[in-house]
Amino acid sequence: MQQRRPNPERAEATRSALLAAARTLFVEKGYADTSTPEIVAAAKVTRGALYHHYADKADLFRAVIEREAKAVADEIEASASPDAPPGEALLRGSLAYLEAMSVPGRTRLLLVDGPAVLGPGALAALDEAHAARTLREGLEAALRPPRQEGAFIEALTALLSAAFDRAALAIEAGGDRAAYTAAMIGLVERVTASR
Amino acid sequence: MQQRRPNPERAEATRSALLAAARTLFVEKGYADTSTPEIVAAAKVTRGALYHHYADKADLFRAVIEREAKAVADEIEASASPDAPPGEALLRGSLAYLEAMSVPGRTRLLLVDGPAVLGPGALAALDEAHAARTLREGLEAALRPPRQEGAFIEALTALLSAAFDRAALAIEAGGDRAAYTAAMIGLVERVTASR
DNA sequence: CAAATAACATACAGGCTGTATGTATGCAAC
DNA sequence: GTTGCATACATACAGCCTGTATGTTATTTG
């Protein structure tokens, strides 16, 4: 498919400029208060270009979100040590998640505006595909041999993931980073403790 | 204050109609996709009435949210048994929260659109004033004598609260209610277990 | 009963979204 | 090399929505 590709670099540059401008404005003013005229002005293109590459404003937002979620997943994966014991790997991944989410704007994009604009289902799917998978696999490994059924582990994963999200939000909002980190580690340890 | 109150019943009826219509539409279509003409048509008033009683669309939304948060808090408090041991009181409160949040539309209002429209800070404040207070007090009681400092307990409260929220969302989205309830109870038990 | 004010109703201005239409440029085949 | 077509935009337009400004009615108070 797609043998003919006229001027692909220019198109890619346009998309890139739109994504960068949109990300900045969405973070600064939120999705609802950011207009497409503002975005294209910041990206130095026209609205025609925007609507040529993206179906609508929400589609552009989705592209921004996907990029961001992938960046988070990549950073987590980059900081993973492949041959660490399950318990420690899980802990390291948790800290890496908090670190990745402390990049300015990420909590607003991924945790506040994202669910409202794309629906919580879409975000959960993205999460599962990227960041949360690491968490679930870590939990499964740490809880092996499985003393619980699959649905329980899945639920536990979701709950812990939500706790991590809240920690990231609280820290970005100026909360006590050390306290939230400690509480998070405490949660993970208590959950994985071979009772 | 407020000695003169011309036609207060009529005004109250108007507000009530607006709140009811707005709640229904916000739940069905979300805040962004609900227009004020739609709301006033459903409430059988005019836009003039809306902007007379509320500063703007977001202010009406805030009123809906506050009503809903108060309802949740009331339901939790109603199901509390005052003289139960701390551990059991906490568990009961947790289940009551899940039950209260299963009223249709509540998760979308309080957990999805609310944070995006009002900002996560405003919602957290509302939470702390109503539902989360019960949780924090329960945790403090269950963890007494305090083996941890205040900031840690506060953080732990926030994390657990987020886990509860996610459980409510997952259940409303069609998740395995039993699994999520069990996982939530497991979390609370492990956290309050005298290590 | 007169004045003031609440409780609306109506009209309007500005901005934003999405679409429809127009234009230029590269690639490809002939 | 030019004819044809698709990509990559640019421009113009229609409709809707929000918030405000202004007008009207009906109480309540002095």
Side-chain angles (χ1 to χ4, degrees):
Chain A
M1 314 298 149
Q2 182 179 336
Q3 291 106 314
R4 262 193 281 90
R5 24 173 222 144
N7 239 12
E9 309 129 24
R10 181 166 173 75
E12 184 53 42
T14 299
R15 269 188 296 252
S16 184
L18 280 170
L19 286 177
R23 205 213 102 109
T24 300
L25 288 167
F26 286 155
V27 168
E28 275 175 10
K29 320 175 40 174
Y31 175 82
D33 289 349
T34 300
S35 68
T36 54
E38 277 177 299
I39 295 171
V40 299
K44 288 175 183 165
V45 300
T46 64
R47 274 168 38 87
L50 194 166
Y51 280 89
H52 175 70
H53 287 289
Y54 301 98
D56 52 19
K57 188 184 158 189
D59 190 38
L60 171 60
F61 181 75
R62 158 172 290 145
V64 170
I65 291 296
E66 280 180 9
R67 228 173 90 95
E68 207 71 23
K70 190 174 184 323
V72 170
D74 288 350
E75 290 181 27
I76 292 179
E77 194 161 349
S79 84
S81 33
D83 44 1
E88 182 167 334
L90 184 54
L91 217 59
R92 269 182 156 274
S94 304
L95 292 176
Y97 178 74
L98 267 199
E99 186 65 28
M101 288 300 279
S102 70
V103 169
R106 257 176 202 171
T107 55
R108 176 162 204 177
L109 289 174
L110 293 175
L111 303 181
V112 180
D113 282 1
V117 175
L118 306 178
L123 259 287
L126 244 168
D127 239 38
E128 172 60 21
H130 293 143
R133 210 197 39 209
T134 306
L135 175 60
R136 201 203 54 227
E137 288 169 356
L139 264 185
E140 282 172 351
L143 288 178
R144 174 168 312 154
R147 287 180 297 278
Q148 312 283 357
E149 50 178 330
F152 179 85
I153 297 216
E154 194 178 330
L156 205 53
T157 304
L159 298 195
L160 275 185
S161 169
F164 292 174
D165 291 348
R166 179 71 66 93
L169 270 173
I171 290 172
E172 171 130 333
D176 185 334
R177 182 177 191 121
Y180 278 97
T181 305
M184 213 188 69
I185 292 178
L187 262 190
V188 172
E189 280 178 350
R190 281 159 195 269
V191 166
T192 58
S194 61
R195 209 234 330 185
Chain B
M1 316 292 150
Q2 184 178 335
Q3 291 105 310
R4 263 194 276 91
R5 26 174 221 142
N7 241 13
E9 308 128 25
R10 181 167 173 76
E12 184 54 42
T14 299
R15 269 188 295 253
S16 183
L18 279 170
L19 287 176
R23 204 212 103 109
T24 300
L25 288 167
F26 287 155
V27 167
E28 275 175 11
K29 322 176 41 177
Y31 174 82
D33 289 349
T34 300
S35 68
T36 53
E38 276 177 299
I39 296 172
V40 299
K44 287 174 185 165
V45 300
T46 65
R47 272 167 39 84
L50 194 166
Y51 281 89
H52 176 70
H53 287 289
Y54 301 98
D56 52 20
K57 189 184 159 190
D59 189 39
L60 171 60
F61 181 74
R62 159 170 292 145
V64 171
I65 291 296
E66 280 180 9
R67 228 175 91 93
E68 207 72 24
K70 190 175 183 322
V72 170
D74 287 350
E75 290 181 27
I76 292 178
E77 193 162 350
S79 86
S81 32
D83 44 359
E88 181 167 334
L90 184 55
L91 217 59
R92 271 183 155 272
S94 304
L95 292 176
Y97 178 74
L98 267 199
E99 185 66 27
M101 288 300 280
S102 70
V103 168
R106 259 176 200 170
T107 56
R108 177 162 204 177
L109 290 174
L110 293 175
L111 303 181
V112 180
D113 282 1
V117 175
L118 306 178
L123 258 287
L126 243 168
D127 239 37
E128 172 59 22
H130 292 144
R133 211 197 39 210
T134 306
L135 174 60
R136 201 202 55 225
E137 288 168 356
L139 264 185
E140 281 172 352
L143 287 178
R144 176 169 311 155
R147 286 179 297 278
Q148 314 283 357
E149 49 178 332
F152 179 85
I153 297 217
E154 194 179 330
L156 204 55
T157 304
L159 298 196
L160 276 186
S161 169
F164 291 172
D165 291 348
R166 179 71 65 94
L169 271 172
I171 290 172
E172 172 129 334
D176 184 334
R177 182 180 191 118
Y180 278 98
T181 306
M184 214 187 69
I185 292 178
L187 262 191
V188 172
E189 280 178 350
R190 281 160 194 268
V191 166
T192 58
S194 60
R195 210 233 339 179

